[in-house]
Amino acid sequence: MTTTSARPALTAQARARRPAQRSRRTWHLTVIGIVLVAIYIFPLYWMVTTSLKTEDQLFTNPPTWIPTRIDFSAYLDTVFGNAQMMRSLANSAIISVGSTILTVVIAAPAAYAFARLRLRWSALLLLPFLLAQLLPTINIALPMFALFSQWGLVNTLPGLILADTVLNLPFAVIVLRPFYLTIPRELEEAAEMDGCNRLQAFLRIVLPVVRSGLVTVAAFAFVMTWGEFTFGLTLATKQEVQPVTVTLNSFIGQYGTQWGPLMAASTVVAIPIVVLFVVFQRYITGGLAAGSVKD
Amino acid sequence: MTSIASARRPVPAPRRAGAGLRRRWLSTGRYVFVLPALLYLVLFMFYPLVYTFDLSIFNVNAANFFRGGAEFVGFDNYVTYLTSPTFLSSLAVTLVFTIGSLLFQHAIGWAFALFFNRGFALSGLLRAILMVVWVLPAVVSASLWRWIYSGSFGLLNAVLAWFGIHTTQAWLVDPHTALAAVVLANIWVGVPFHMLLVYAGLQGIPATLYEASSIDGASRLQRFWSITVPLMRPVVITALLLGFVHTFKAFDIIYVMTAGGPAGATNVLSISVYQLSFDYFKLGEGSAAANVLLVIPLLLSIVYLALRRREETAL
């Protein structure tokens, strides 16, 4: 936690001690950086170009590094023309939005209480949330399959929302808590003086102040849920409720070495996450350093 | 609470009992805020974990799972699993996967972090682009690397051909190379995260320390060993401990790339739990395997919490 809280001040400091001439002297580092990052993300370029190549450009030796003709037929056939793919994209959207809302609604008051409880209790109660992040997903998925079978929640979207929230909740509470710690108690006391009760003070005064924390947690919960695979694989055996990650995995078996369609499907699964990341980048990386979790 | 009641609060002396009551209500009020989250974890995490133990001491399988009537077998499932040949080989595969991934992720993450820490134009943007690799759904990375490792037209072999090595090796199909290939893909996924942690730690070291020691005539290497290394200790401990637990439990990226094959070459413990429970539907033995899988992360969690208490970790 210390690392992130110290961050904004220090970056400002770092910026201050870096005069304009220094950035002129470090242009070669920028060039090296661009080359390194380009090499590192080359596999992503490869994924996208593969999905856009015509069959004859796909299987060449040496490979076609830059496609000369662009072909969208892989997208039309395997994604937009494929009922199962479209349905599972919709399922994933429903599960991700549902779990994001549930996570925020439960985590926001909990993190607030943790920030306001006496330290001893807060540390003790936080413990299960800390440990929960370290559990292998399969350890929850297996008994949950048995329990959800009894409760009628296997092969349902609500069942998947409930399961995925288990993964998001501990992270959300831990990431949100420091945001509340920055709020002065006087703010809530003033609200109570004005006649708000504790709940009203929380909803009207406190929550708006921690908006950026809520955005971090929501963005992160969406990213995690969209990419979630283990619960999808174990709790959704019927195609109708499968999230898109499970459908993509079954495509791999189905399409074998038809890499064009497979990379088109992979690209489509990646796009919402990349877009979300570009929009909320600042929030997500900040939250990551604080919570340090993902499967 | 009405406005009058709230307005009374700053006048505690004459209404001592009332104020105490109110204070108590307030503190219970705080617990009410935590309650939904705690109940959620109890119902959907702790109860399932306890239930796993319950399942593991019964002979639960496809025949009796839906109809009931599984037979109590004590610790037989544990004995069967721990003495099966799969267990030891899975444990070995898991440790190689975890340690191999972690060491390279952390070392390369350090290299990137040190590079970006030198501060140059566009460094923030470039770091953000690297992070995209890490937020990608595991299934996407896994299917992409399957294509890269493909024998006849895969990217890896094309790059090797560039360096004069001509091969049609299908990296994920050959039991001798599958594990290394899966580790390499996982390193690619995990480096940005270690870079992020190390970079945040490096940014937290006050610049004045470096300035003072360079005035004293310390070389770049001396400054690294006497300032950076000791101050980064908590970050390194945290990244390695949490990284170990997270990598040890990895499931999706391996499952999608190889499903544990070929011939068990990449069959980590989490996949063996899945196979026992969902492929063979031996839920009793699978539950025993799941509890075995929990042992190492649990021990490391205790180490982590102890270090955290002594404030030797960064998170």
Side-chain angles (χ1 to χ4, degrees):
Chain A
M1 217 53 40
T2 42
T3 46
T4 32
S5 54
R7 235 170 122 204
L10 276 153
T11 20
Q13 194 189 324
R15 216 173 285 135
R17 72 181 151 79
R18 192 198 317 150
Q21 23 154 290
R22 201 183 140 185
S23 73
R24 242 174 279 143
R25 272 190 283 123
T26 57
W27 66 270
H28 67 284
L29 291 177
T30 305
V31 174
I32 298 171
I34 291 172
V35 173
L36 281 176
V37 171
I39 294 171
Y40 204 86
I41 64 163
F42 191 79
L44 293 181
Y45 167 82
W46 199 240
M47 172 173 85
V48 177
T49 46
T50 300
S51 73
L52 294 169
K53 281 176 189 170
T54 53
E55 192 92 339
D56 57 301
Q57 297 179 89
L58 209 52
F59 302 112
T60 61
N61 209 345
T64 314
W65 298 105
I66 301 162
T68 42
R69 276 167 300 121
I70 300 278
D71 180 22
F72 285 99
S73 63
Y75 286 90
L76 297 177
D77 299 343
T78 32
V79 183
F80 302 107
N82 186 303
Q84 174 56 21
M85 192 68 192
M86 292 311 279
R87 186 168 47 193
S88 65
L89 278 169
N91 289 341
S92 275
I94 294 168
I95 297 165
S96 303
V97 171
S99 180
T100 302
I101 293 173
L102 192 59
T103 301
V104 172
V105 166
I106 299 176
Y112 174 55
F114 281 131
R116 286 290 180 257
L117 281 171
R118 240 181 264 135
L119 205 64
R120 193 157 37 107
W121 287 109
S122 156
L124 188 72
L125 284 172
L126 262 178
L127 206 66
F129 290 84
L130 269 174
L131 292 179
Q133 298 187 90
L134 304 174
L135 276 177
T137 312
I138 191 76
N139 277 64
I140 310 168
L142 162 56
M144 205 172 244
F145 170 76
L147 290 168
F148 277 17
S149 302
Q150 295 162 28
W151 299 345
L153 283 170
V154 167
N155 284 320
T156 65
L157 293 178
L160 287 168
I161 292 174
L162 288 170
D164 286 357
T165 305
V166 175
L167 301 181
N168 297 334
L169 196 56
F171 169 82
V173 169
I174 285 163
V175 168
L176 261 179
R177 199 178 75 103
F179 284 91
Y180 290 108
L181 289 172
T182 61
I183 304 177
R185 269 166 203 269
E186 287 77 24
L187 196 69
E188 293 142 86
E189 277 163 21
E192 282 179 37
M193 295 280 265
D194 288 345
C196 289
N197 63 33
R198 186 153 278 269
L199 185 67
Q200 287 169 328
F202 171 66
L203 291 177
R204 291 193 203 148
I205 311 294
V206 176
L207 275 189
V209 181
V210 294
R211 209 173 6 191
S212 65
L214 297 175
V215 173
T216 301
V217 164
F220 206 81
F222 191 95
V223 169
M224 296 237 283
T225 317
W226 184 268
E228 206 291 321
F229 176 70
T230 313
F231 282 131
L233 186 70
T234 48
L235 301 176
T237 45
K238 287 205 181 104
Q239 282 198 338
E240 295 85 74
V241 289
Q242 269 172 6
V244 76
T245 46
V246 178
T247 301
L248 180 57
N249 179 55
S250 56
F251 268 28
I252 291 171
Q254 200 180 319
Y255 284 84
T257 53
Q258 290 179 264
W259 298 108
L262 273 173
M263 290 304 108
S266 303
T267 305
V268 168
V269 176
I271 282 172
I273 298 307
V274 174
V275 170
L276 206 76
F277 185 77
V278 168
V279 176
F280 294 109
Q281 189 270 123
R282 209 162 275 280
Y283 295 100
I284 294 178
T285 45
L288 281 185
S292 88
V293 262
K294 195 191 166 242
D295 281 320
Chain B
M1 284 301 118
T2 63
S3 56
I4 303 160
S6 322
R8 265 187 203 152
R9 207 170 73 99
V11 204
R15 306 187 53 87
R16 221 192 167 89
L21 196 75
R22 190 191 144 76
R23 206 173 301 131
R24 231 172 298 138
W25 184 88
L26 275 181
S27 51
T28 20
R30 287 171 197 162
Y31 290 100
V32 170
F33 278 70
V34 206
L35 214 57
L38 277 182
L39 284 179
Y40 202 94
L41 282 196
V42 167
L43 186 61
F44 293 112
M45 181 174 284
F46 294 103
Y47 179 51
L49 287 177
V50 174
Y51 196 73
T52 312
F53 184 76
D54 198 31
L55 286 171
S56 74
I57 50 174
F58 284 89
N59 171 30
V60 187
N61 56 37
N64 59 34
F65 178 70
F66 291 104
R67 270 183 287 145
E71 181 190 344
F72 176 79
V73 292
F75 289 102
D76 284 6
N77 286 327
Y78 291 88
V79 175
T80 315
Y81 178 66
L82 291 173
T83 54
S84 70
T86 357
F87 170 68
L88 277 184
S89 76
S90 278
L91 182 64
V93 168
T94 312
L95 289 175
V96 170
F97 173 80
T98 307
I99 294 167
S101 298
L102 191 60
L103 287 184
F104 285 99
Q105 285 171 347
H106 196 66
I108 301 170
W110 256 98
F112 270 113
L114 284 173
F115 175 71
F116 283 115
N117 196 42
R118 295 179 67 180
F120 48 86
L122 295 185
S123 102
L125 177 72
L126 292 173
R127 268 185 291 125
I129 293 174
L130 275 187
M131 290 309 295
V132 170
V133 168
W134 191 76
V135 291
L136 228 50
V139 181
V140 171
S141 321
S143 85
L144 167 59
W145 280 89
R146 280 177 70 106
W147 166 216
I148 291 173
Y149 287 138
S150 153
S152 14
F153 299 99
L155 181 62
L156 179 62
N157 288 343
V159 170
L160 287 176
W162 229 28
F163 290 101
I165 305 162
H166 295 273
T167 172
T168 52
Q169 171 76 1
W171 301 90
L172 290 173
V173 178
D174 183 341
H176 299 290
T177 56
L179 182 56
V182 171
V183 167
L184 178 66
N186 196 48
I187 291 169
W188 182 73
V189 171
V191 162
F193 175 65
H194 285 265
M195 175 200 72
L196 181 80
L197 279 184
V198 175
Y199 181 81
L202 289 174
Q203 289 280 301
I205 300 176
T208 46
L209 282 181
Y210 291 109
E211 280 155 19
S213 74
S214 72
I215 290 169
D216 291 346
S219 69
R220 189 187 276 272
L221 197 68
Q222 279 173 324
R223 271 179 283 161
F224 181 77
W225 282 113
S226 58
I227 301 172
T228 315
V229 171
L231 285 176
M232 288 296 285
R233 222 177 84 105
V235 174
V236 172
I237 290 176
T238 309
L240 290 181
L241 258 179
L242 294 186
F244 191 98
V245 175
H246 286 298
T247 316
F248 192 83
K249 68 181 191 175
F251 174 76
D252 39 17
I253 190 160
I254 310 171
Y255 185 81
V256 175
M257 284 180 86
T258 61
T266 59
N267 198 24
V268 288
L269 291 170
S270 61
I271 288 183
S272 76
V273 172
Y274 176 83
Q275 282 175 342
L276 279 171
S277 316
F278 294 97
D279 288 343
Y280 310 130
F281 222 77
K282 293 181 190 165
L283 280 112
E285 203 184 321
S287 298
N291 286 336
V292 171
L293 171 65
L294 218 49
V295 172
I296 290 180
L298 208 64
L299 291 177
L300 284 174
S301 302
I302 293 167
V303 172
Y304 170 67
L305 289 175
L307 287 172
R308 199 167 185 269
R309 245 183 125 80
R310 285 163 46 195
E311 289 177 10
E312 282 186 41
T313 59
L315 294 168

